[in-house]
Coordinates of all heavy atoms in Angstrom, one line a residue:
M1 N 135.7 85.5 135.8 CA 135.7 86.9 136.3 C 136.9 87.6 135.8 O 138.0 87.2 136.2 CB 135.6 86.9 137.8 CG 134.3 86.4 138.3 SD 134.2 86.9 140.0 CE 132.8 86.1 140.5
N2 N 136.7 88.6 135.1 CA 137.8 89.4 134.6 C 137.9 90.7 135.3 O 137.3 91.7 134.9 CB 137.6 89.6 133.1 CG 138.9 89.6 132.4 OD1 140.0 89.5 133.0 ND2 138.8 89.8 131.1
K3 N 138.6 90.8 136.4 CA 138.7 92.0 137.2 C 140.0 92.8 136.7 O 141.0 92.2 136.5 CB 138.9 91.7 138.7 CG 137.6 91.4 139.4 CD 137.9 91.3 140.8 CE 136.6 91.1 141.6 NZ 136.8 91.1 143.0
S4 N 139.8 94.1 136.7 CA 141.0 94.9 136.4 C 141.8 95.1 137.7 O 141.3 95.0 138.8 CB 140.6 96.3 135.8 OG 139.8 97.0 136.8
K5 N 143.1 95.4 137.5 CA 143.9 95.4 138.7 C 143.6 96.6 139.5 O 143.7 96.6 140.8 CB 145.4 95.5 138.2 CG 145.8 94.2 137.6 CD 147.3 94.2 137.2 CE 147.7 92.9 136.6 NZ 149.1 92.9 136.2
R6 N 143.3 97.8 138.9 CA 143.0 99.0 139.7 C 141.6 99.5 139.3 O 141.5 100.3 138.3 CB 144.0 100.0 139.4 CG 145.4 99.7 140.1 CD 146.3 100.9 140.0 NE 147.2 100.6 138.9 CZ 147.9 101.6 138.3 NH1 147.9 102.8 138.8 NH2 148.7 101.3 137.3
P7 N 140.6 99.1 140.0 CA 139.2 99.5 139.6 C 139.0 101.0 139.9 O 138.2 101.7 139.2 CB 138.3 98.6 140.4 CG 139.1 98.2 141.6 CD 140.5 98.2 141.1
F8 N 139.6 101.5 140.9 CA 139.3 102.9 141.3 C 140.6 103.8 141.1 O 141.3 104.0 142.0 CB 138.9 103.0 142.8 CG 137.7 102.2 143.1 CD1 137.7 101.1 143.8 CD2 136.4 102.6 142.7 CE1 136.6 100.3 144.1 CE2 135.3 101.9 142.9 CZ 135.4 100.8 143.7
T9 N 140.7 104.2 139.9 CA 141.9 105.1 139.6 C 141.4 106.5 139.4 O 140.3 106.7 138.8 CB 142.7 104.6 138.4 OG1 141.8 104.6 137.3 CG2 143.3 103.3 138.6
K10 N 142.1 107.4 139.9 CA 141.7 108.8 139.7 C 142.1 109.2 138.3 O 143.2 108.8 137.8 CB 142.5 109.7 140.7 CG 141.8 109.8 142.0 CD 142.4 110.9 142.8 CE 141.7 111.2 144.1 NZ 142.3 112.2 144.9
S11 N 141.3 110.0 137.7 CA 141.7 110.6 136.4 C 142.8 111.6 136.6 O 142.7 112.4 137.5 CB 140.5 111.2 135.7 OG 140.0 112.3 136.4
K12 N 143.8 111.5 135.7 CA 144.9 112.5 135.9 C 144.6 113.7 135.1 O 145.0 113.9 134.0 CB 146.2 111.8 135.4 CG 146.6 110.6 136.3 CD 148.0 110.1 135.9 CE 148.4 109.1 136.9 NZ 149.7 108.6 136.6
R13 N 143.9 114.6 135.8 CA 143.6 115.9 135.2 C 144.7 116.9 135.6 O 145.0 117.0 136.8 CB 142.3 116.4 135.7 CG 141.1 116.0 134.8 CD 139.8 116.6 135.3 NE 139.4 115.9 136.5 CZ 138.6 116.4 137.4 NH1 138.3 117.7 137.4 NH2 138.2 115.7 138.4
S14 N 145.2 117.6 134.7 CA 146.2 118.7 135.1 C 145.4 119.9 135.4 O 144.5 120.3 134.6 CB 147.2 118.9 134.0 OG 146.5 119.4 132.8
F15 N 145.7 120.6 136.5 CA 145.0 121.8 136.8 C 146.0 122.9 137.1 O 147.1 122.6 137.6 CB 144.0 121.6 137.9 CG 144.6 121.4 139.3 CD1 144.8 122.4 140.1 CD2 145.0 120.1 139.7 CE1 145.4 122.2 141.4 CE2 145.6 119.9 140.9 CZ 145.8 121.0 141.7
R16 N 145.6 124.1 136.8 CA 146.5 125.2 137.0 C 146.1 125.8 138.3 O 145.0 126.2 138.5 CB 146.4 126.2 135.9 CG 147.7 127.0 135.6 CD 147.5 127.8 134.5 NE 146.4 128.8 134.7 CZ 146.3 130.0 134.3 NH1 147.3 130.5 133.7 NH2 145.3 130.8 134.6
R17 N 147.0 126.0 139.2 CA 146.7 126.6 140.5 C 146.5 128.1 140.3 O 147.3 128.8 139.7 CB 147.9 126.4 141.5 CG 147.5 126.8 142.9 CD 148.7 126.5 143.8 NE 148.3 126.9 145.1 CZ 148.2 126.2 146.2 NH1 148.6 124.9 146.1 NH2 147.9 126.7 147.3
R18 N 145.4 128.6 140.8 CA 145.0 130.0 140.7 C 146.0 130.9 141.5 O 146.3 130.5 142.7 CB 143.6 130.3 141.1 CG 142.6 129.9 140.1 CD 141.3 130.3 140.6 NE 140.4 130.6 139.5 CZ 139.3 131.3 139.6 NH1 138.9 131.8 140.7 NH2 138.6 131.6 138.5
L19 N 146.4 132.0 141.0 CA 147.2 132.9 141.7 C 146.3 133.6 142.7 O 145.2 134.0 142.4 CB 147.8 133.9 140.8 CG 148.9 133.3 139.8 CD1 149.3 134.4 138.8 CD2 150.1 132.8 140.5
P20 N 146.8 133.9 143.9 CA 146.0 134.7 144.9 C 145.8 136.1 144.4 O 146.7 136.7 143.8 CB 146.9 134.7 146.1 CG 148.3 134.4 145.7 CD 148.1 133.6 144.4
P21 N 144.6 136.6 144.6 CA 144.3 138.0 144.1 C 145.0 139.1 144.8 O 145.2 140.1 144.2 CB 142.8 138.1 144.3 CG 142.5 137.1 145.4 CD 143.4 136.0 145.3
I22 N 145.5 138.8 146.0 CA 146.3 139.8 146.7 C 147.7 139.3 146.9 O 147.9 138.3 147.5 CB 145.7 140.1 148.1 CG1 144.2 140.6 148.0 CG2 146.5 141.1 148.9 CD1 143.5 140.8 149.3
Q23 N 148.6 140.1 146.3 CA 150.0 139.7 146.4 C 150.6 140.2 147.7 O 150.0 140.9 148.4 CB 150.8 140.3 145.2 CG 150.3 140.0 143.8 CD 150.3 138.5 143.6 OE1 151.2 137.7 144.1 NE2 149.3 138.0 142.8
S24 N 151.8 139.7 148.0 CA 152.4 140.0 149.3 C 152.7 141.5 149.5 O 152.7 142.1 150.5 CB 153.6 139.2 149.6 OG 154.6 139.5 148.5
G25 N 153.0 142.2 148.3 CA 153.3 143.6 148.4 C 152.1 144.6 148.4 O 152.2 145.8 148.6
D26 N 150.9 144.0 148.1 CA 149.7 144.9 148.0 C 149.2 145.3 149.3 O 149.2 144.5 150.3 CB 148.6 144.1 147.3 CG 148.8 144.0 145.8 OD1 149.7 144.7 145.2 OD2 148.2 143.1 145.2
R27 N 148.9 146.6 149.5 CA 148.4 147.1 150.7 C 146.9 147.2 150.5 O 146.4 147.8 149.6 CB 148.9 148.5 151.0 CG 150.3 148.5 151.6 CD 150.8 149.9 152.0 NE 149.9 150.6 152.8 CZ 149.8 150.6 154.1 NH1 150.7 149.9 154.8 NH2 148.9 151.3 154.8
I28 N 146.1 146.7 151.5 CA 144.7 146.8 151.4 C 144.3 148.1 152.1 O 144.4 148.2 153.3 CB 144.0 145.6 152.1 CG1 144.5 144.3 151.5 CG2 142.5 145.7 152.1 CD1 144.0 143.0 152.2
D29 N 143.9 149.0 151.3 CA 143.7 150.4 151.8 C 142.5 151.0 151.0 O 142.3 150.6 149.9 CB 145.0 151.2 151.6 CG 144.9 152.5 152.4 OD1 144.2 152.6 153.4 OD2 145.6 153.4 152.1
Y30 N 141.8 151.9 151.6 CA 140.6 152.5 150.9 C 141.0 153.3 149.7 O 140.2 153.6 148.9 CB 139.8 153.3 151.9 CG 140.4 154.6 152.4 CD1 140.3 155.8 151.8 CD2 141.3 154.5 153.6 CE1 140.9 156.9 152.3 CE2 141.9 155.7 154.0 CZ 141.7 156.9 153.4 OH 142.3 158.0 153.8
R31 N 142.3 153.8 149.7 CA 142.8 154.6 148.6 C 143.2 153.7 147.4 O 143.3 154.3 146.3 CB 143.9 155.5 149.0 CG 143.5 156.6 150.0 CD 144.6 157.3 150.5 NE 145.2 156.4 151.6 CZ 146.3 156.7 152.3 NH1 147.0 157.7 151.9 NH2 146.7 155.9 153.2
N32 N 143.4 152.4 147.6 CA 143.9 151.6 146.5 C 142.7 151.1 145.7 O 142.2 149.9 145.9 CB 144.7 150.4 147.1 CG 145.5 149.6 146.1 OD1 145.3 149.8 144.9 ND2 146.3 148.7 146.6
M33 N 142.2 151.9 144.8 CA 141.0 151.6 144.1 C 141.1 150.5 143.1 O 140.2 149.7 142.9 CB 140.4 152.9 143.4 CG 140.1 154.0 144.3 SD 138.9 153.5 145.6 CE 137.5 153.2 144.6
S34 N 142.3 150.3 142.6 CA 142.5 149.2 141.6 C 142.4 147.9 142.3 O 141.8 146.9 141.7 CB 143.8 149.3 140.9 OG 144.9 149.3 141.9
L35 N 142.8 147.8 143.5 CA 142.7 146.5 144.3 C 141.2 146.3 144.8 O 140.7 145.2 144.6 CB 143.6 146.5 145.4 CG 143.6 145.3 146.3 CD1 144.2 144.1 145.6 CD2 144.4 145.5 147.6
I36 N 140.7 147.4 145.3 CA 139.3 147.2 145.9 C 138.3 146.9 144.9 O 137.4 146.1 145.1 CB 139.0 148.5 146.7 CG1 139.8 148.7 147.9 CG2 137.5 148.6 147.0 CD1 139.5 150.0 148.7
S37 N 138.4 147.5 143.7 CA 137.3 147.3 142.7 C 137.3 145.8 142.2 O 136.3 145.4 141.6 CB 137.6 148.2 141.5 OG 138.9 148.0 140.9
R38 N 138.3 145.0 142.4 CA 138.3 143.6 142.0 C 137.3 142.8 142.9 O 136.9 141.7 142.5 CB 139.7 143.0 142.2 CG 140.6 143.4 141.1 CD 141.9 142.6 141.2 NE 143.0 143.4 141.4 CZ 144.2 143.1 141.9 NH1 144.3 141.9 142.4 NH2 145.2 143.9 142.0
F39 N 137.0 143.3 144.1 CA 136.2 142.6 145.1 C 134.8 143.1 145.1 O 134.1 142.7 146.1 CB 136.9 142.6 146.4 CG 138.3 142.1 146.4 CD1 139.4 143.0 146.5 CD2 138.6 140.8 146.2 CE1 140.7 142.5 146.5 CE2 139.8 140.3 146.2 CZ 140.9 141.2 146.3
I40 N 134.3 143.8 144.2 CA 133.0 144.4 144.1 C 132.3 143.9 142.9 O 132.9 143.9 141.8 CB 133.0 145.9 144.2 CG1 133.7 146.4 145.5 CG2 131.6 146.5 144.1 CD1 133.8 147.8 145.5
S41 N 131.0 143.4 143.0 CA 130.3 142.9 141.8 C 129.8 144.1 141.0 O 130.0 145.3 141.4 CB 129.1 142.1 142.3 OG 128.2 143.0 142.9
E42 N 129.2 143.8 139.9 CA 128.7 144.9 139.0 C 127.6 145.7 139.6 O 127.5 146.9 139.4 CB 128.2 144.3 137.7 CG 129.2 143.7 136.8 CD 128.7 143.2 135.5 OE1 127.4 143.3 135.3 OE2 129.4 142.6 134.7
Q43 N 126.9 145.1 140.5 CA 125.8 145.8 141.2 C 126.3 146.6 142.4 O 125.6 147.4 143.0 CB 124.7 144.8 141.8 CG 123.9 144.2 140.7 CD 124.6 143.0 140.0 OE1 125.5 142.4 140.6 NE2 124.3 142.7 138.8
G44 N 127.6 146.4 142.8 CA 128.1 147.2 143.9 C 128.2 146.4 145.2 O 128.6 147.0 146.2
N45 N 127.9 145.1 145.1 CA 128.0 144.3 146.3 C 129.4 143.8 146.6 O 130.2 143.6 145.6 CB 127.1 143.0 146.2 CG 125.7 143.4 146.0 OD1 125.2 144.4 146.4 ND2 124.9 142.5 145.4
I46 N 129.7 143.6 147.9 CA 131.0 143.0 148.2 C 130.9 141.5 148.0 O 130.0 140.9 148.4 CB 131.4 143.3 149.7 CG1 131.4 144.8 149.9 CG2 132.7 142.7 150.0 CD1 131.6 145.2 151.4
L47 N 131.9 141.0 147.2 CA 131.9 139.6 146.9 C 132.3 138.7 148.1 O 133.0 139.2 148.9 CB 132.8 139.3 145.7 CG 132.4 139.9 144.4 CD1 133.5 139.7 143.3 CD2 131.1 139.3 143.9
S48 N 131.8 137.5 148.1 CA 132.1 136.6 149.3 C 133.5 136.2 149.3 O 134.2 136.3 148.3 CB 131.1 135.4 149.3 OG 131.4 134.6 148.2
R49 N 133.9 135.6 150.4 CA 135.3 135.1 150.5 C 135.6 134.0 149.6 O 136.7 133.8 149.1 CB 135.5 134.7 152.0 CG 136.9 134.7 152.4 CD 137.0 134.3 153.9 NE 138.0 133.3 153.9 CZ 137.9 132.2 154.7 NH1 136.9 132.0 155.4 NH2 138.9 131.3 154.7
R50 N 134.6 133.1 149.4 CA 134.8 131.9 148.5 C 135.0 132.4 147.0 O 135.9 131.8 146.3 CB 133.6 131.0 148.5 CG 133.7 130.0 149.7 CD 132.6 129.1 149.6 NE 131.4 129.8 150.0 CZ 130.2 129.4 149.6 NH1 130.0 128.4 148.9 NH2 129.1 130.1 150.0
V51 N 134.3 133.4 146.6 CA 134.4 133.9 145.3 C 135.8 134.6 145.1 O 136.5 134.5 144.1 CB 133.3 134.9 144.9 CG1 133.5 135.5 143.6 CG2 132.0 134.2 145.0
N52 N 136.2 135.4 146.1 CA 137.4 136.2 146.1 C 138.7 135.3 146.2 O 139.7 135.7 145.8 CB 137.5 137.2 147.2 CG 136.5 138.3 147.0 OD1 136.0 138.5 145.9 ND2 136.1 139.0 148.1
R53 N 138.5 134.1 146.9 CA 139.6 133.3 147.2 C 140.7 134.0 148.0 O 141.9 134.0 147.7 CB 140.3 132.7 145.9 CG 139.4 131.7 145.2 CD 140.1 131.1 144.1 NE 139.2 130.2 143.4 CZ 139.2 128.8 143.6 NH1 139.9 128.3 144.5 NH2 138.4 128.1 142.9
V54 N 140.3 134.6 149.1 CA 141.2 135.3 150.0 C 141.0 134.7 151.4 O 140.0 134.0 151.7 CB 140.9 136.8 150.1 CG1 141.3 137.4 148.8 CG2 139.5 137.1 150.4
T55 N 141.9 135.0 152.3 CA 141.8 134.5 153.7 C 140.8 135.3 154.5 O 140.4 136.4 154.0 CB 143.2 134.6 154.4 OG1 143.6 135.9 154.5 CG2 144.2 133.8 153.7
L56 N 140.4 134.9 155.6 CA 139.4 135.6 156.5 C 139.9 136.9 156.9 O 139.2 137.9 156.8 CB 139.1 134.7 157.7 CG 138.1 135.3 158.6 CD1 136.7 135.4 157.9 CD2 138.0 134.4 159.9
K57 N 141.2 137.0 157.2 CA 141.8 138.3 157.6 C 141.8 139.3 156.5 O 141.5 140.4 156.7 CB 143.2 138.0 158.1 CG 143.9 139.2 158.8 CD 145.2 138.8 159.4 CE 145.8 139.9 160.2 NZ 147.1 139.5 160.8
Q58 N 142.2 138.8 155.3 CA 142.2 139.7 154.1 C 140.8 140.1 153.8 O 140.6 141.3 153.4 CB 142.8 138.9 152.9 CG 144.3 138.7 153.0 CD 144.8 137.8 151.9 OE1 144.0 137.0 151.3 NE2 146.0 137.9 151.6
Q59 N 139.8 139.2 153.9 CA 138.4 139.6 153.6 C 137.9 140.7 154.5 O 137.2 141.6 154.1 CB 137.5 138.4 153.7 CG 136.0 138.6 153.3 CD 135.8 139.0 151.9 OE1 136.6 138.6 151.0 NE2 134.7 139.6 151.6
R60 N 138.3 140.6 155.8 CA 137.8 141.6 156.8 C 138.5 143.0 156.4 O 137.8 144.0 156.5 CB 138.3 141.2 158.2 CG 137.4 140.1 158.8 CD 137.7 140.0 160.2 NE 137.0 138.8 160.8 CZ 137.6 137.9 161.5 NH1 138.9 137.9 161.7 NH2 136.9 136.8 161.9
L61 N 139.7 142.9 156.1 CA 140.4 144.2 155.7 C 139.8 144.8 154.4 O 139.7 146.0 154.3 CB 141.9 144.0 155.5 CG 142.7 143.6 156.8 CD1 144.1 143.2 156.4 CD2 142.7 144.8 157.7
I62 N 139.5 143.9 153.4 CA 138.8 144.4 152.2 C 137.5 145.0 152.5 O 137.2 146.1 152.0 CB 138.7 143.2 151.2 CG1 140.0 142.8 150.7 CG2 137.8 143.5 150.1 CD1 140.0 141.4 150.0
T63 N 136.7 144.4 153.3 CA 135.4 144.9 153.7 C 135.5 146.3 154.4 O 134.7 147.2 154.0 CB 134.7 143.9 154.6 OG1 134.6 142.6 154.0 CG2 133.3 144.4 154.9
I64 N 136.4 146.4 155.3 CA 136.6 147.7 156.0 C 137.0 148.8 155.0 O 136.5 149.9 155.0 CB 137.6 147.5 157.1 CG1 137.0 146.7 158.2 CG2 138.1 148.9 157.7 CD1 138.0 146.2 159.3
A65 N 138.0 148.4 154.1 CA 138.4 149.4 153.1 C 137.3 149.8 152.1 O 137.2 151.0 151.8 CB 139.6 148.8 152.3
I66 N 136.5 148.9 151.7 CA 135.4 149.2 150.8 C 134.4 150.1 151.5 O 133.9 151.1 150.9 CB 134.7 147.9 150.3 CG1 135.6 147.2 149.3 CG2 133.3 148.2 149.6 CD1 135.1 145.8 149.0
K67 N 134.1 149.8 152.8 CA 133.1 150.7 153.5 C 133.7 152.1 153.7 O 133.0 153.0 153.6 CB 132.8 150.0 154.8 CG 131.9 148.8 154.6 CD 131.6 148.1 155.9 CE 130.7 146.9 155.7 NZ 130.4 146.1 156.9
Q68 N 135.0 152.2 154.0 CA 135.6 153.5 154.2 C 135.6 154.3 152.9 O 135.3 155.5 152.8 CB 137.1 153.4 154.6 CG 137.2 153.0 156.1 CD 138.7 152.8 156.4 OE1 139.5 152.5 155.6 NE2 139.0 152.9 157.7
A69 N 135.8 153.6 151.7 CA 135.8 154.2 150.4 C 134.4 154.7 150.1 O 134.2 155.8 149.5 CB 136.3 153.3 149.4
R70 N 133.4 153.9 150.5 CA 132.0 154.3 150.2 C 131.6 155.6 151.1 O 131.0 156.5 150.6 CB 131.0 153.2 150.6 CG 131.0 152.1 149.6 CD 130.1 151.0 150.1 NE 130.0 149.9 149.1 CZ 129.5 148.7 149.3 NH1 129.0 148.4 150.5 NH2 129.4 147.8 148.4
I71 N 132.0 155.6 152.3 CA 131.7 156.7 153.2 C 132.4 158.0 152.7 O 131.8 159.1 152.7 CB 132.1 156.4 154.6 CG1 131.2 155.4 155.2 CG2 132.1 157.7 155.5 CD1 131.6 154.8 156.5
L72 N 133.6 157.9 152.2 CA 134.3 159.0 151.6 C 133.9 159.3 150.2 O 134.6 160.1 149.5 CB 135.8 158.8 151.7 CG 136.4 158.7 153.1 CD1 137.8 158.3 153.1 CD2 136.2 160.1 153.8
S73 N 132.9 158.6 149.7 CA 132.3 158.8 148.3 C 133.4 158.5 147.2 O 133.3 159.2 146.2 CB 131.6 160.1 148.2 OG 132.6 161.2 148.1
L74 N 134.3 157.6 147.5 CA 135.2 157.2 146.4 C 134.6 156.1 145.6 O 134.9 155.8 144.5 CB 136.5 156.7 147.0 CG 137.3 157.7 147.8 CD1 138.5 157.1 148.5 CD2 137.8 158.9 146.9
L75 N 133.6 155.3 146.3 CA 132.9 154.3 145.7 C 131.4 154.5 145.9 O 131.0 155.0 146.9 CB 133.2 152.9 146.3 CG 134.5 152.2 145.9 CD1 134.6 150.9 146.8 CD2 134.4 151.8 144.5
P76 N 130.5 154.1 144.9 CA 129.1 154.2 145.1 C 128.6 153.1 146.1 O 129.1 152.0 146.1 CB 128.5 154.1 143.8 CG 129.5 153.2 143.0 CD 130.8 153.6 143.6
F77 N 127.5 153.4 146.8 CA 126.9 152.4 147.7 C 126.2 151.4 146.8 O 126.2 150.2 147.1 CB 125.9 153.0 148.7 CG 126.6 153.6 149.9 CD1 127.0 154.9 149.9 CD2 126.9 152.8 151.0 CE1 127.7 155.4 151.0 CE2 127.5 153.3 152.1 CZ 127.9 154.6 152.1
L78 N 125.5 151.9 145.8 CA 124.8 151.0 144.8 C 125.1 151.4 143.4 O 125.5 152.5 143.1 CB 123.3 151.2 145.0 CG 122.6 150.8 146.3 CD1 121.2 151.2 146.3 CD2 122.7 149.3 146.4
N79 N 125.0 150.4 142.5 CA 125.2 150.6 141.1 C 124.0 150.1 140.4 O 123.9 149.0 140.0 CB 126.5 149.9 140.6 CG 126.9 150.4 139.2 OD1 126.3 151.3 138.7 ND2 127.9 149.8 138.7
N80 N 123.0 151.0 140.2 CA 121.7 150.6 139.7 C 121.5 150.9 138.2 O 120.4 151.1 137.7 CB 120.6 151.3 140.5 CG 120.4 150.8 141.9 OD1 120.8 149.7 142.1 ND2 119.9 151.6 142.8
Q81 N 122.6 151.0 137.5 CA 122.5 151.4 136.1 C 121.7 150.3 135.2 O 121.0 150.7 134.3 CB 123.9 151.5 135.5 CG 124.6 152.7 136.0 CD 126.0 152.8 135.4 OE1 126.5 151.9 134.8 NE2 126.7 153.9 135.7
K82 N 121.8 149.1 135.6 CA 121.1 148.0 134.8 C 119.6 148.1 135.0 O 118.8 147.8 134.1 CB 121.5 146.6 135.2 CG 122.9 146.4 134.8 CD 123.2 144.9 134.7 CE 124.5 144.6 134.1 NZ 124.7 143.3 133.7
Q83 N 119.1 148.6 136.2 CA 117.7 148.8 136.4 C 117.1 149.8 135.5 O 115.9 149.7 135.0 CB 117.4 149.1 137.8 CG 117.7 148.0 138.8 CD 117.4 148.4 140.2 OE1 117.1 149.5 140.5 NE2 117.5 147.4 141.1
F84 N 117.8 150.9 135.2 CA 117.3 152.0 134.4 C 117.3 151.7 132.9 O 116.7 152.4 132.1 CB 118.0 153.3 134.7 CG 117.9 153.7 136.1 CD1 119.0 153.9 137.0 CD2 116.6 154.0 136.7 CE1 118.8 154.3 138.3 CE2 116.5 154.4 138.0 CZ 117.6 154.5 138.8
E85 N 118.0 150.7 132.5 CA 118.1 150.4 131.0 C 116.9 149.7 130.5 O 116.7 149.7 129.3 CB 119.3 149.5 130.8 CG 120.6 150.2 131.0 CD 121.8 149.2 130.8 OE1 121.6 148.1 130.4 OE2 122.9 149.7 131.0
R86 N 116.0 149.2 131.4 CA 114.8 148.5 130.9 C 113.8 149.3 130.2 O 113.5 150.4 130.3 CB 114.1 147.8 132.1 CG 114.9 146.7 132.7 CD 114.2 146.0 133.8 NE 115.1 145.1 134.5 CZ 114.8 144.4 135.6 NH1 113.6 144.6 136.2 NH2 115.6 143.6 136.1

């Protein structure tokens, strides 16, 4: 029997830690369109927390800011441009 000394070794993959999408100096506000637009899909949906990689508190603030921007017509509620291209 020829057993290796370490049968269960983890592969040493180097991975790069992703930078958080919201920096410490960024204010989550309905007027900050460059920040808010990162968290909206092409169809106009609010992306989930797992996709955004943000904390629960940040996701709540983002959602409130997006909804305020939609009400003030800074953002569209829907983006149906792809449906009309057919």
Side-chain angles (χ1 to χ4, degrees):
M1 291 195 185
N2 214 0
K3 281 189 175 180
S4 63
K5 290 182 181 178
R6 286 187 265 165
F8 300 108
T9 57
K10 276 190 172 180
S11 63
K12 292 189 177 183
R13 273 186 278 153
S14 64
F15 69 96
R16 209 176 60 140
R17 190 176 177 123
R18 281 185 150 197
L19 294 172
I22 299 176
Q23 304 300 328
S24 59
D26 289 341
R27 282 184 50 91
I28 302 172
D29 196 21
Y30 68 93
R31 290 171 282 173
N32 193 351
M33 297 306 293
S34 60
L35 179 71
I36 287 177
S37 59
R38 285 188 237 158
F39 304 107
I40 298 177
S41 68
E42 290 181 2
Q43 289 81 28
N45 299 336
I46 301 172
L47 295 174
S48 70
R49 202 179 130 220
R50 275 183 290 154
V51 175
N52 290 340
R53 293 187 180 264
V54 293
T55 63
L56 182 62
K57 191 173 183 179
Q58 288 172 335
Q59 181 70 20
R60 285 192 188 127
L61 291 171
I62 289 165
T63 304
I64 291 167
I66 290 172
K67 289 178 180 180
Q68 284 177 338
R70 284 175 175 169
I71 289 169
L72 294 170
S73 70
L74 300 173
L75 278 175
F77 279 91
L78 293 172
N79 192 3
N80 290 335
Q81 291 177 352
K82 289 201 171 191
Q83 291 178 354
F84 296 122
E85 289 177 5
R86 291 182 188 172

